[in-house]
């Protein structure tokens, strides 16, 4: 009888530990892994759209207003996120970066594909994922 109680209690203890670890190992870690890659893909897509807009800007000094609308996924892994254009590293603050962050600890930073210091040296903005988003260039 004592053997049965000992073995059953040990198995019950292993079962409880397994149940507590399943959420972290099989749900949260893969979700965080995929979320970071999704954020990176979204950042690269926005960077590409900005570079495309940069490619069609006229180089003459005339009044110019060019804009484009784009859409990104409304949520990643069931959670919303925010897209920001922020200053670059301390040694090159005018080299802007795109930062995508969500409710959790995951954050992805993507450069503006090498054009951060050229025409978009004063690029700034913040948007959420819901709805259509708008990128515009205006001179002067």
């Amino acid at each position: 009888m004592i053997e049965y109680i000992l073995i059953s209690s040990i198995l019950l203890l292993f079962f409880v530990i397994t149940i507590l670890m399943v959420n972290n190992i099989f749900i949260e870690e893969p979700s965080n892994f995929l979320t970071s890659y999704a954020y990176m893909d979204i950042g690269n897509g926005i960077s590409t759209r900005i570079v495309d807009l940069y490619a069609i800007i006229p180089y003459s000094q005339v009044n110019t207003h060019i804009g484009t609308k784009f859409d990104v996924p409304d949520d990643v892994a069931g959670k919303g996120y925010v897209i920001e254009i922020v200053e670059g590293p301390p040694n090159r603050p005018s080299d802007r970066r795109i930062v995508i962050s969500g409710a959790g600890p995951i954050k992805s930073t993507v450069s503006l594909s090498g054009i951060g210091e050229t025409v978009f040296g004063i690029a700034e903005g913040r948007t959420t994922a819901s709805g259509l988003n708008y990128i515009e260039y205006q001179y002067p």
Side-chain angles (χ1 to χ4, degrees), residues 51-72:
V51 169
D52 289 347
L53 185 66
Y54 171 74
I56 63 171
I57 292 173
Y59 288 101
S60 62
Q61 301 295 324
V62 297
N63 291 340
T64 305
H65 182 267
I66 300 172
T68 181
K69 293 181 182 178
F70 67 96
D71 193 20
V72 292

Side-chain angles (χ1 to χ4, degrees), residues 23-35:
N23 186 38
N24 187 33
I25 293 172
F26 294 116
I27 297 173
E28 287 184 26
E29 285 184 18
S31 176
N32 291 344
F33 183 75
L34 294 175
T35 299

Side-chain angles (χ1 to χ4, degrees), residues 12 14 19 21 24 29 36 39 42 50 59 71 78-79 89 98 104 108 121 129:
L12 185 62
F14 285 150
I19 292 297
M21 297 300 291
N24 187 33
E29 285 184 18
S36 66
Y39 286 172
I42 291 167
I50 291 173
Y59 288 101
D71 193 20
K79 299 175 185 172
I98 299 172
S108 179

Side-chain angles (χ1 to χ4, degrees), residues 74-133:
D74 289 338
D75 60 3
V76 173
K79 299 175 185 172
Y81 56 94
V82 176
I83 303 164
E84 295 179 277
I85 297 179
V86 297
E87 289 184 348
N91 58 344
R92 294 174 62 184
S94 62
D95 189 13
R96 302 293 179 152
R97 307 268 190 236
I98 299 172
V99 177
I100 297 105
S101 59
I106 300 170
K107 181 191 275 188
S108 179
T109 303
V110 179
S111 73
L112 276 177
S113 299
I115 65 163
E117 287 191 10
T118 56
V119 81
F120 289 106
I122 57 171
E124 61 185 8
R126 176 185 174 113
T127 186
T128 60
S130 60
L132 283 176
N133 300 292

